[in-house]
Amino acid sequence: MEVSVLEIEDPGCFWVTMKGCGPYIVDEIEYKNLNAEMNQFYDKSCKDMDEVKPVTVEEDQICVVFSKELKCWCRAVIKSIVYCTDRYQTECFLLDYAKYIFVESKDIRVALEAFMQIPYRARKCRLYRTKPVTLRIDFCEDTAKTVPAKRWDSAATQHFQNLLKAATQMKAKLCAIEDDTFDIFLYVTIKDEKVCVNDDLVSKNFAHFEENEENTESSADHQENQTSLSVESLPVKIVNPALAFRPVLFQEKVSTNLETGLAVSSSFCEETYQRPSTDLNENTVPSFQNLSEERNFVFLSNKIEPSSILETAPLFDDLKKELTRKKFLGPNFTESYCWPPVARGCDVVAISYQGDDPFLYIPPVLTFLQSRSCYKALPNRNGPLALILCPGWKKAQLVFELLKTYETCSRQLHPMLIILGQNKEEARSVKIQGCDVIVTTPYSLLRLFEHHHLLFCRLCHLVLDEIEVLFSDATEQIFTILDCYKKAVITVEWEYSPHQIIAVGTCWNKHIAHLIKEFMNDPYIVITAMEEASIYGNVQQVVWPCMNSERTQNLLKILDFAHNNLQKVLVFTNSVDEAENIHKALKSNSVFSLKMHKESEFNFKYILEQWTKKCSSGSHVVLVLTDDCMQSLGITDATCVVHFSFPSPRIFGQRLHSMSDNFCNVIKDSSVDQEHTKARSVILLTENSVCHAPGILRYLQHAEAEIPPELHDFAAKMLEAEEDKKFSRPLCAYLKTFGICKNRTVCPDRHQINLQIDVPQNIPDKVTRTPGCVMILPLYIVNATNYFGRIVDKQKDQYTVLAEEINEYFKKPSNKTSVKNVEKLAFYGLCEKTLFHRVQVVEISTKEEESLFFKVKIKYIDEGRTSQVQSYQLLHLPARFQCLPPQAVEFVVCRVKPIDNEIEWNPKVTRYIHDKIKGKLHQAKIVHTLGNTAWVDPMVRVTTLPDLKMSVNEYNVRSEILSTGLGTDNPEHITQLQKLCRHMKVLDHAKNLEPLSIKEDTAGPEYVSNPQNMSVQENSTENCNSSKITVGNHPCDDVAETKEAEDSTLHQCKCFYPEIKWFQNEETVTVKVKIASVADWKCEFSKEKVVFSACSGDKLYLADMELHQYILAEKSTCVINDKEAIIVLVKEEKRAWCKLLKNKNPHVSFDFEHWEDFEDKSPFPVGTKKLYCTAAVTEELVDSEDSGTESDE
């Protein structure tokens, strides 16, 4: 049949009109006649509008509405209702035109049955058995593969639209009708060539064909001339057309084996990207598992019938409709097992890779709360029915917003978000009247409980979100709350009322066992992370250190069959060669073993028979296999697993599943002799295991296993290597704000000092040396303790003068010249209301560069904030206005942090500080500087009383933060930063080193004054790190000398240039760096540069020497002795050097002690020798007259 497309959402959802003849096709003339009749009827009925106006309006209601765009009455279904102050609007879908429109209530009419006889003109279609795919990246295995996806990506939809737009003719073959959606093969004619759209999407890796259980055939097997439609032969479900556009519940099923809990899903350690680039992987050897195929496992304490589709999930109908309307893609594998017991009111513990997702419990808890009859026996008092405890305010806010979102489809629960500080008055003023659900944190709840002693009198549902975090950060508080809840439910009035505890998380915690034993009643334990299930199952984890070459000998020691629990042993390898070698070694040592891998000629039945044979006492079986054999064997009763090759985290869990039948329920069977019943996992730790060491170490630590020192060493080396990779990243914001980062292993930013970025450069003495007299003006408030602003000169502020000149300049319309070609990192002017600012472009969208008008991301270089503006708003900024460097400085208030182990400031505190300090001058003492960040303590607002000729401290910012009750003292803040500065490092490769501005000869006026020379860190609050803090002297003047700060209380992190003496012969140059007691030294050689850094005591020395001539870097050496470092540079050409450095430096001089030696040993003639030496000495004497670069003298 011929079709015409009306609207496209994606290849799985689009609307067409059908032309021609057939059982589902209506002639276009009939629709025109229907339209004319409807217009005539409803236009005349305007006088008697009450007769045809609906009494009520509901979602999914079929009606007739007036479209102002089409200027006619149309059949429609109501999708949503928007309530305004005096009326309401409805969003409707026009069933004959496939359009969404908003209609006012006065334009809605009842749909008469006479107008509903013919089917809708717009038919919803999808490509038959053509399903979306996506690219999945496995970071552990460093592989990528194309896998089925649940939704179409934008690239596939765009390609589909382009095909239909280019088509001159479209035809469809109807294959099935399901849920009022037509499944079709779609054919288009493009430039006289016929193309099957289904096949085209698959061939270009936008989709894959879903296999039919009975037969799998591509659309290519169908000939287009075979398009005759036999209604009897199709699996057609005839429905009332009035119901055609009602929401259809999500019906995709997860293929699940209830006995093993096996299903197709994604594993942890993987991330999905939208856009396929490789073909779908097909398993060419059916007997083996393709490791790129994913499997999900579930460990259950009690049998649960999973709810794999939303339609059959144990949720109330209105919630299902709301989830469907919001395109909820679920339930996922874990939710399918968690929802049934939670909805029945049972105690549940769920550990999953998705254990931090609130949807594990919110839908079923909301469903249970709908049943009012369950709570009739409770006392008639104020108090919540459900209490949700979250690890921090941010997670609590997320849960609260989800409850508010889905409360609209349930009875009124009046949820409350309660986050309390240490102010008792705030807790006393909280009113919980009429509230059925409270979302809070453990600390906030206990503060509330001090003033509301009846808080637990009606509590039926206690939810512990991210249980492992709660138990690690607030163990005492959680058990106090559990004790209060336990005492409350013991009373007689609770006999006929529900009491339920739900604990969800991503990791098992040792305290969960105590929670289950003491506070839960026969809970359902659902664990879909198999390595966590092994901890619950009390699997003994053993780490066996050995050399890689000695693994086989150590394996024989492990296979000591003195214990009965080693009757069935699996030895896992990741290569065929290893499996063969192990099998031979075991046979030669008289150990009965089997082997299995994809290249072996084996009797599969024989292997399974030997494995499943009941072993008598003293008999054992060892199976050596590769990881790709796990699925085909399906072994779950092994008593020991030996990881001969070090496992990745994903493979590790799959290997442990092989022992799942022997997991001990130690909570129920506490009397079992664990030494002889628990399963054992043995990891062979070798020098080649470094890459996986950190992950395995973290797992073994929370499994409370014995950890050998070698694993700690490997993990430390790996973490150090990871830190080195982040050396060019911005300094961690948590490190700056609080002095410590709790999540170093996953934090993307740097946690060590980088001299190129962090060492303060060109900071005037008056800023670093004069405590208590720096005026700062905060302009952009990031959070309660982190701001961007300017340092203001008390006498004459340079920026104030510049700002006046800029605003005066742009007042003339002729000076407002828009920029035609916008360049990244260039400086421009920008008008904001009545003021003009200097801005820098930090990002230009690649797609928008060719457009006439496009958005650019800019940074206000004198305020620190970023924004997006249109390109035409940028104005040409004359060079004289670019002379002053960027003035934005980052300020951090010291010695204060959030309460309750939080890692981010509560928005209440940030708003309070924002309103109090923004745009106001403050006095501050700078106690530490790194890069463009200054740490201040104190920061005080000073008010001058001119009549009394005195000043008054209006407030101290740190004290104001503490007064909110949401901040607490952080005495180790600066101490932690100072420790960090003692371990400074330079970049590993000299080629990545740029000249540092601490060398006076390169820090001339041209370099300092030009803002273009300052690198910008993008996409971070660190984007000012390489800017310079400038106060006092105009940057276009000569650079002032810098000296070491005399006030030791400032603890400035300074870099000193050491004293250097040098001499030479025909082939080498010897450089003596005068530093006593050198520690942590590093010397980097390149063809034209030498960078030497070292620590001595609490001082850091850095000599960045750009040489006058070239050297042979690979032959140059550095030797350290007690009083100095001796660097021997091998000349590239055997000739005399007239000087050591390309640029003058006052700390470098010729070594006169070697004048005679050089004269005696020089091969040059005496006259030449003397002239040469005199030139070198004269050059050094001239250099020594200059001064300015910082020294430790």
Side-chain angles (χ1 to χ4, degrees), residues 537-579:
N538 205 30
V539 173
Q540 182 184 7
Q541 297 289 346
V542 178
V543 179
W544 193 288
C546 65
M547 298 298 292
N548 192 65
S549 58
E550 299 174 353
R551 284 185 297 168
T552 305
Q553 297 93 307
N554 282 271
L555 175 63
L556 295 172
K557 295 178 183 178
I558 293 168
L559 298 178
D560 178 6
F561 297 108
H563 300 288
N564 290 330
N565 64 321
L566 290 179
Q567 285 186 339
K568 292 187 173 183
V569 182
L570 291 176
V571 180
F572 281 104
T573 75
N574 54 16
S575 72
V576 173
D577 290 341
E578 279 186 351

Side-chain angles (χ1 to χ4, degrees), residues 710-735:
E710 291 87 348
L711 184 57
H712 283 290
D713 294 341
F714 286 165
K717 289 177 182 177
M718 191 63 190
L719 292 175
E720 185 177 352
E722 289 296 322
E723 281 296 324
D724 289 340
K725 290 179 184 177
K726 300 185 283 187
F727 200 54
S728 61
R729 292 281 304 165
L731 189 63
C732 172
Y734 295 108
L735 204 62

